[in-house]
Amino acid sequence: MAVGRNATHINVLNNQLYCEAYSGMTSGGLVFGKGFTKSPLPLLLMQVSIVNVLSAFFQFLLSPLGQFSFVSQILAGIALGPSFLSRVEKIREKLFLPQMGTAMINAFENLGLMVIFFVISVQVDLGVFKKPGKLAFTIAMSSFVLPLAINISFAIYLKRYIANEELQQTLPTIAAYESLSIFQQTLCVLQDLKILNSELGRIAINSSLIASLGCFIFATVGLQLAEFRSSGGKRAFLCVQLSQILMIAIIALVLRPAMLWMIKRSPERKPLKESYVSFIFMMILGCTLFGEFTGQHAVNGPVMLGMATPDSPPMGSNLALKLGSFAWTVLMPGYTINVGKRVNIYNIGFENALFVGLIAASGTLVKFVSIIIPSLHYKMPIKDALPLGLIMTSRGIFDILTYYRAKQFKLIGDDSFTTMVIASLFHSIIIAPVVKTLYDTSRKYMTYNKRTIQHIKRHSELRIVLCIHEQDHVPPSINIVEITNPTKDSPLAVYVLYLEELIGRTIPLFISHKYERQPSNKPTIASRIINVFHQYEDQKQGIDVIQCFTSLAPYNSMHDDICQLAHEKFGTLLILPIHKPDSLFIRAVNKNVLDYAPCSVAIFLGRGLLMSHHFLRSQSVISVCVIFIGGADDREALAYSERMAEHPRIRLTVIRFVYEEYTPTNSVDKQHDEYSINTFRLATYGNKFVEYKEESLVEASETTQVVKFIEEDFDLVLCGRRHDDEWPPLRGLSEWSEIEEMGVIGDLLVSTESMRRASVLVMQQQDVGVD
């Protein structure tokens, strides 16, 4: 019992009795001559701060090597633990001997795990279980059953050679845990590698999710049996199972409908109200409290609630952003500290390191083979099957969490836990560079066929992939399709891809809306975009087909879906919007597409007349200008304008910038330029609405002035993206460019401080190595 400020509290921790003087939650600090770490709150803040600093330091060192974030987190915990810093007696006394700090860290750890498991469970797409696909299902079953059966059998065989009685008894359990598949870890690896929505990433996610369900049931039942075997409560075990059923019923019948009601009352693309977020957090705490009260583990409730949470915006996105970052940064260091405290590399014996290491290697090898064999059976290329096997056998922070739980229930020993953690670290350190070396998402888009406007036959079908990020992109996109002049003699096939950022979900989605033409009960942005394009298709004869798709993916890998669609549909031109030049995320997507696209690419900035919703119904004349300097990109812009010139409402002007005294280093390229100009003039001969003229330039200042006048006089300006920076009229301009992906001329057109009348279309011709 406590009496006064300096009274002694008697507590029990880990079945040991300890007593400490209590001086309040906070410290008076050095100013008042009190020890900074003598109070719980300052001690906790110091531990969390040190772990975050160490984690950032290791991440800084390892990021050039392409290592996973998990490595830096666990290294930070180990560095703070008895393996390194805590071996220093003064540090150990200040940070770890005060048991009040241990109690606080344990509370932070459990609160962090509760939130993290809820956030991750929100991201799980249960639709995978309805239609997983034969390949994903076969890989999942193979990677779940075979490693468990073979590795446990191998552990039983090795027991006869082990002298350590504790290791002999726990080795089969170690083998089981080394064989488990953890879906969250596969997700983290794919996110770190930025291949989440690649074809390989989709297969890995679907397979690991199905396999993890079996592993989760296996591990959960095993832990509960171990817990109640030690307590000897069969009746308690039955009560826990009944309480879980009751919790599922409450979540399904009460809490999920409440969340759906919140979504209906939230405007589209608007965040959840703060009151809704607070109420959901109260649901998490309530499920956790109910689980603890009924003998379940603290994370069971948040996991069930997370899987029942609707993943449609704004629910998933808000929860992932508002809860996830705080939990990882502030709460999860408690988990990292506790893991690091229990890893002491100096206590590992040779026998333990040998046999546990063998089991860890065996589990990885068997799982790897069990993934490779079905992949090859279903005709997956070996260059994709190998990285798939490596990704799905990777180890990480969630694997260590299962080891940690097993250690708490004394299913594995301290030395075995340390060996398993170290083995996971080495495994991850090796996996990251190997996967990045073996798998390159860009190579599957490579083609040696010429998919350019310049090289397709005149009046043949032009296939355009049109990307849309928001509703404001729809009118200018339809207008640019219209002035491309779709006719029966020169038809277009248009593939519209609506792009939406992936937030709050796990599995990227790629949806085909081929047969979706009727509005839904609650229209979405995607459905409205689809309906507008289908209406345009119905009233335009020169359109062979308009097919609409939706890609839900993170920005850093969104280009995979764009390039994949262009590749599969044999696209000739990819049109990317840049409605707001300061949109860094859209610019990043555009840069990646420019690097990997299997066809020509156009970046389109809509302004002025082409932004009008009434452009199609009006009879407005469109004045179009092509700036021609030279090079493959300018030739592509010229070829595109030749097709536009046949439109009855187009007035086309080609302005060629010339500098007489300059001799290009590539004479072949010069010949191609002259041939393209001559071909264009011949094709448009007799068209009184097409004009060709040349503008002599000497220096960059003249170029800037001419471009400014052009931008003010035309409704649409076409230009190439890449030019010779050493050409005197362009020399030095690249140093002032703000938007690199628009090229020097495109950047001038976008950046000029004029009336901003002209829309801008910057062309990049497909690189095929041959002209």
Side-chain angles (χ1 to χ4, degrees):
M1 184 175 179
V3 181
R5 179 175 176 81
N6 296 319
T8 299
H9 280 206
I10 298 178
N11 301 284
V12 177
L13 184 72
N14 295 332
N15 298 322
Q16 293 181 348
L17 206 63
Y18 73 91
C19 56
E20 287 183 306
Y22 179 70
S23 57
M25 181 62 67
T26 60
S27 168
L30 299 177
V31 176
F32 297 97
K34 296 181 181 179
F36 185 70
T37 59
K38 296 297 183 181
S39 299
L41 184 60
L43 179 61
L44 174 68
L45 295 176
M46 179 175 287
Q47 291 175 327
V48 171
S49 299
I50 291 174
V51 165
N52 279 323
V53 169
L54 287 173
S55 180
F57 172 72
F58 284 121
Q59 186 65 29
F60 173 77
L61 292 180
L62 296 173
S63 57
L65 303 177
Q67 291 300 323
F68 304 139
S69 56
F70 145 76
V71 175
S72 60
Q73 293 168 355
I74 295 301
L75 282 177
I78 294 175
L80 189 60
S83 296
F84 293 98
L85 292 179
S86 291
R87 292 186 68 81
V88 180
E89 186 175 352
K90 290 185 177 180
I91 295 178
R92 185 172 65 254
E93 289 178 354
K94 292 289 185 181
L95 293 181
F96 292 119
L97 288 185
Q99 296 299 324
M100 57 187 172
T102 301
M104 291 287 285
I105 284 294
N106 288 343
F108 255 53
E109 174 196 358
N110 284 282
L111 187 60
L113 292 176
M114 176 187 73
V115 176
I116 289 298
F117 270 89
F118 170 77
V119 170
I120 292 176
S121 299
V122 168
Q123 299 172 357
V124 174
D125 185 4
L126 298 180
V128 171
F129 298 106
K130 296 179 181 178
K131 193 176 181 181
K134 291 183 179 180
L135 175 59
F137 183 79
T138 305
I139 291 175
M141 291 296 99
S142 176
S143 61
F144 169 55
V145 176
L146 291 180
L148 276 174
I150 296 176
N151 215 34
I152 292 175
S153 300
F154 183 53
I156 294 173
Y157 171 77
L158 289 178
K159 285 175 64 174
R160 68 185 71 178
Y161 302 105
I162 300 175
N164 186 319
E165 184 176 348
E166 181 189 56
L167 180 60
Q168 190 181 62
Q169 293 178 352
T170 59
L171 197 63
T173 303
I174 294 171
Y177 277 96
E178 288 290 353
S179 305
L180 297 181
S181 296
I182 308 295
F183 159 75
Q184 293 87 348
Q185 182 52 38
T186 303
L187 170 65
C188 291
V189 171
L190 292 172
Q191 288 175 333
D192 283 344
L193 293 173
K194 299 180 181 180
I195 58 173
L196 187 61
N197 64 315
S198 65
E199 185 178 2
L200 188 76
R202 296 178 196 275
I203 294 173
I205 283 289
N206 292 351
S207 302
S208 63
L209 186 56
I210 298 169
S212 292
L213 178 63
C215 294
F216 175 77
I217 296 173
F218 176 83
T220 301
V221 173
L223 287 173
Q224 289 183 351
L225 287 174
E227 182 176 1
F228 292 112
R229 191 186 306 115
S230 61
S231 62
K234 294 182 180 179
R235 182 179 178 182
F237 179 77
L238 179 60
C239 290
V240 167
Q241 305 310 312
L242 293 175
S243 68
Q244 287 180 341
I245 296 173
L246 177 61
M247 180 183 291
I248 292 173
I250 293 173
I251 290 173
L253 300 177
V254 180
L255 302 186
R256 178 177 169 83
M259 292 181 181
L260 292 172
W261 178 83
M262 295 177 195
I263 293 176
K264 288 181 180 179
R265 293 182 62 87
S266 300
E268 190 174 9
R269 286 204 166 185
K270 295 293 183 180
L272 281 176
K273 295 180 181 179
E274 292 296 328
S275 58
Y276 292 171
V277 176
S278 300
F279 189 68
I280 292 170
F281 192 70
M282 290 172 60
M283 291 182 186
I284 301 173
L285 295 177
C287 290
T288 304
L289 182 61
F290 180 83
E292 283 290 305
F293 181 74
T294 56
Q296 303 176 45
H297 189 266
V299 301
N300 282 5
V303 168
M304 295 177 188
L305 180 65
M307 296 182 74
T309 300
D311 56 13
S312 56
M315 185 67 69
S317 56
N318 266 170
L319 297 177
L321 289 174
K322 294 192 175 185
L323 300 179
S325 299
F326 173 77
W328 278 111
T329 306
V330 179
L331 301 178
M332 283 302 284
Y335 165 74
T336 306
I337 291 169
N338 274 338
V339 169
K341 282 168 57 176
R342 289 159 177 79
V343 174
N344 190 342
I345 60 176
Y346 299 99
N347 290 342
I348 302 177
F350 173 77
E351 188 178 50
N352 190 284
L354 175 63
F355 287 101
V356 175
L358 277 174
I359 289 297
S362 170
T364 300
L365 180 62
V366 173
K367 188 184 296 184
F368 180 77
V369 173
S370 67
I371 294 167
I372 292 290
I373 292 176
S375 300
L376 297 178
H377 175 74
Y378 281 94
K379 310 301 182 184
M380 179 182 285
I382 186 67
K383 61 185 178 183
D384 291 337
L386 289 175
L388 176 64
L390 292 173
I391 289 170
M392 291 189 62
T393 56
S394 59
R395 297 295 181 191
I397 197 166
F398 293 98
D399 296 273
I400 292 178
L401 177 61
T402 61
Y403 307 156
Y404 183 46
R405 290 282 293 150
K407 180 185 175 300
Q408 287 180 319
F409 288 115
K410 303 186 184 304
L411 298 177
I412 61 176
D414 293 342
D415 294 353
S416 299
F417 173 75
T418 299
T419 305
M420 294 167 77
V421 171
I422 299 299
S424 298
L425 272 176
F426 275 112
H427 186 80
S428 293
I429 290 172
I430 295 171
I431 285 285
V434 173
V435 171
K436 290 184 177 181
T437 301
L438 290 176
Y439 187 69
D440 179 9
T441 57
S442 66
R443 69 165 181 253
K444 62 184 177 183
Y445 310 128
M446 291 179 61
T447 175
Y448 297 98
N449 297 321
K450 295 177 181 179
R451 296 189 186 178
T452 71
I453 300 176
Q454 181 188 356
H455 294 102
I456 64 172
K457 294 180 180 180
R458 191 177 183 185
H459 299 308
S460 62
E461 182 186 63
L462 176 63
R463 291 173 169 255
I464 296 177
V465 176
L466 194 60
C467 296
I468 304 289
H469 284 277
E470 53 189 62
Q471 281 185 275
D472 289 342
H473 294 159
V474 175
S477 297
I478 289 181
N479 294 339
I480 202 70
V481 170
E482 171 63 24
I483 65 175
T484 305
N485 194 34
T487 64
K488 290 183 177 180
D489 295 330
S490 300
L492 293 184
V494 181
Y495 302 95
V496 182
L497 181 58
Y498 171 57
L499 302 164
E500 185 175 350
E501 184 187 10
L502 173 72
I503 302 177
R505 291 181 61 98
T506 300
I507 303 175
L509 295 179
F510 190 85
I511 306 167
S512 174
H513 303 286
K514 186 173 182 180
Y515 304 105
E516 184 178 335
R517 298 180 67 107
Q518 299 300 323
S520 59
N521 294 330
K522 184 182 179 182
T524 62
I525 293 177
S527 65
R528 288 192 286 266
I529 291 173
I530 292 165
N531 289 333
V532 170
F533 275 98
H534 282 316
Q535 289 171 12
Y536 175 67
E537 179 186 14
D538 292 337
Q539 67 186 27
K540 196 67 184 179
Q541 291 184 344
I543 302 291
D544 278 355
V545 62
I546 289 183
Q547 188 172 346
C548 299
F549 303 86
T550 293
S551 169
L552 186 63
Y555 279 126
N556 59 15
S557 59
M558 192 175 280
H559 64 280
D560 278 326
D561 281 343
I562 299 173
C563 295
Q564 183 67 29
L565 180 62
H567 183 73
E568 291 179 354
K569 299 300 181 181
F570 300 97
T572 304
L573 180 64
L574 251 168
I575 300 181
L576 304 169
I578 181 170
H579 182 57
K580 299 175 182 177
D582 58 346
S583 177
L584 298 179
F585 295 116
I586 294 179
R587 288 182 56 192
V589 173
N590 292 347
K591 287 179 182 178
N592 287 330
V593 173
L594 288 168
D595 290 338
Y596 302 127
C599 60
S600 294
V601 180
I603 298 181
F604 178 53
L605 174 65
R607 293 191 299 207
L609 186 59
L610 289 183
M611 290 295 293
S612 172
H613 292 261
H614 308 292
F615 175 80
L616 296 177
R617 294 194 296 270
S618 70
Q619 295 301 316
S620 303
V621 174
I622 307 300
S623 56
V624 179
C625 176
V626 179
I627 298 176
F628 189 92
I629 297 173
D633 294 351
D634 280 10
R635 295 193 291 271
E636 189 73 359
L638 189 65
Y640 193 19
S641 70
E642 182 181 329
R643 189 176 185 110
M644 292 181 178
E646 298 177 359
H647 196 286
R649 291 165 56 189
I650 294 293
R651 304 295 182 265
L652 177 64
T653 302
V654 177
I655 301 178
R656 186 178 186 183
F657 291 177
V658 295
Y659 179 71
E660 300 296 342
E661 300 179 8
Y662 181 71
T663 302
T665 56
N666 190 340
S667 59
V668 175
D669 210 41
K670 178 68 173 177
Q671 292 174 8
H672 288 311
D673 290 342
E674 296 297 334
Y675 178 79
S676 294
I677 289 289
N678 294 333
T679 302
F680 170 81
R681 299 185 70 176
L682 182 63
T684 57
Y685 180 76
N687 188 337
K688 62 181 181 179
F689 299 117
V690 176
E691 182 182 4
Y692 171 83
K693 54 185 177 182
E694 296 184 352
E695 188 80 36
S696 295
L697 302 173
V698 176
E699 56 185 22
S701 60
E702 295 182 357
T703 304
T704 303
Q705 192 69 19
V706 171
V707 169
K708 180 179 180 180
F709 287 131
I710 290 174
E711 200 269 348
E712 292 176 348
D713 292 340
F714 293 91
D715 297 306
L716 174 65
V717 180
L718 282 76
C719 64
R721 175 175 177 262
R722 298 167 295 189
H723 300 99
D724 182 4
D725 290 337
E726 294 304 314
W727 193 56
L730 295 181
R731 188 175 295 156
L733 290 180
S734 60
E735 299 176 6
W736 299 92
S737 294
E738 297 178 0
I739 307 178
E740 179 186 355
E741 62 274 18
M742 297 291 284
V744 173
I745 300 299
D747 183 74
L748 286 174
L749 290 166
V750 170
S751 307
T752 51
E753 298 179 359
S754 64
M755 296 175 62
R756 297 188 178 274
R757 169 189 172 186
S759 298
V760 180
L761 194 72
V762 177
M763 306 288 294
Q764 174 179 289
Q765 190 176 77
Q766 174 205 20
D767 290 320
V768 291
V770 185
D771 205 335

